[in-house]
Amino acid sequence: MVTALFKIVLMGDGSVGKTSLRRTYMGEGFKAQYMITIGADFAVKKMQLEGGHDVSIQIWDLAGQEHFKSVRSTFYKGAQGALAVYSTVERQSYENIKNWLDECWTNAGKKIPIVLIGNKIDLRQQFEDNPAMRQTIVTTEEGQRLADDIASNGVHTSFIETSAKTGENVEASFLELAIKILEAGGLA
Ligand code: G3D
Ligand code: MG
């Protein structure tokens, strides 16, 4: 059987939890390789999808270079899908998702599939309980609305809320992206 290799990128503001999601997904002790020229690292993991597809995904993660737009264009080259991550307790990171999508699609050269991820859901209750912090929360409905908006442009899109801390939905996010890439014709 042929194993397809998909390059996927993790994008989103600094400290939303991209590296934590990758680490939780890959398991402890995994050493990523570092691409020094563009300030990113990448890791490969194999997964099996329903229907007998074996895919390896190469996960590209900005190594703290989110603030340097100049190094990022190379990062997206050849990517077949993206996890667009915001923090559910930091509204600005949600507002910035549109900019990440524009940059990604411009540099990837096409509207590659997106899994929109609202991370840090384990912190939401704590923010809910504090009136001063409540306004920075992003609700599930708002996340879904953004995902619907992205999908309305004809993009293969899913929305998932996660916690890299507890592990909730982390595996499902990567799996979902692989499914979206296949749906979009990734094996063709
Ligand atoms: P980034 O790669 O997007 O920049 P990181 O983000 O993965 O480095 O995470 C930034 C900080 O948020 C880290 O805390 C990390 O532990 C924390 N974090 C990431 N995901 C979650 C989550 O789902 N829940 C909670 N509670 N924290 C999370 P530190 O303190 O190491 O800076
Ligand atoms: Mg990081």
Side-chain angles (χ1 to χ4, degrees):
M1 178 182 294
V2 186
T3 302
L5 177 67
F6 295 156
K7 175 182 175 179
I8 69 165
V9 295
L10 274 161
M11 62 186 180
D13 287 3
S15 85
V16 295
K18 300 180 297 298
T19 301
S20 301
L21 287 164
R22 173 173 61 71
R23 287 220 179 103
T24 300
Y25 178 61
M26 304 297 288
E28 286 300 319
F30 185 86
K31 271 220 170 19
Q33 284 177 275
Y34 187 64
M35 183 68 81
I36 203 157
T37 47
I38 62 166
D41 59 30
F42 61 96
V44 181
K45 181 163 168 157
K46 208 172 191 175
M47 62 169 115
Q48 273 182 334
L49 305 180
E50 275 177 54
H53 292 297
D54 258 356
V55 300
S56 282
I57 56 168
Q58 191 184 52
I59 304 162
W60 286 72
D61 179 17
L62 288 165
Q65 305 296 303
E66 294 90 343
H67 299 295
F68 303 104
K69 194 170 182 154
S70 55
V71 300
R72 290 199 308 262
S73 57
T74 315
F75 173 74
Y76 300 102
K77 283 250 155 58
Q80 284 144 298
L83 296 177
V85 188
Y86 65 90
S87 164
T88 54
V89 294
E90 198 209 326
R91 175 160 293 279
Q92 190 58 52
S93 67
Y94 168 81
E95 309 285 350
N96 288 341
I97 288 290
K98 287 244 158 93
N99 301 329
W100 286 104
L101 292 174
D102 283 346
E103 181 180 283
C104 170
W105 288 332
T106 299
N107 289 296
K110 58 182 169 191
K111 292 196 167 177
I112 60 174
I114 301 293
V115 172
L116 178 67
I117 296 186
N119 188 40
K120 304 198 185 185
I121 48 171
D122 61 290
L123 292 177
R124 202 148 51 184
Q125 191 56 52
Q126 190 178 316
F127 275 66
E128 194 67 60
D129 294 341
N130 183 332
M133 286 151 75
R134 210 173 281 156
Q135 84 281 355
T136 191
I137 294 176
V138 181
T139 64
T140 302
E141 290 69 28
E142 288 174 306
Q144 188 60 59
R145 207 179 306 145
L146 177 55
D148 291 346
D149 197 33
I150 298 168
S152 73
N153 294 303
V155 178
H156 291 264
T157 310
S158 286
F159 170 57
I160 302 184
E161 291 186 318
T162 60
S163 168
K165 188 175 180 183
T166 67
E168 187 174 351
N169 282 341
V170 174
E171 182 131 23
S173 306
F174 288 90
L175 197 60
E176 188 62 25
L177 185 56
I179 291 167
K180 292 289 145 190
I181 293 170
L182 283 171
E183 268 179 24
L187 281 181

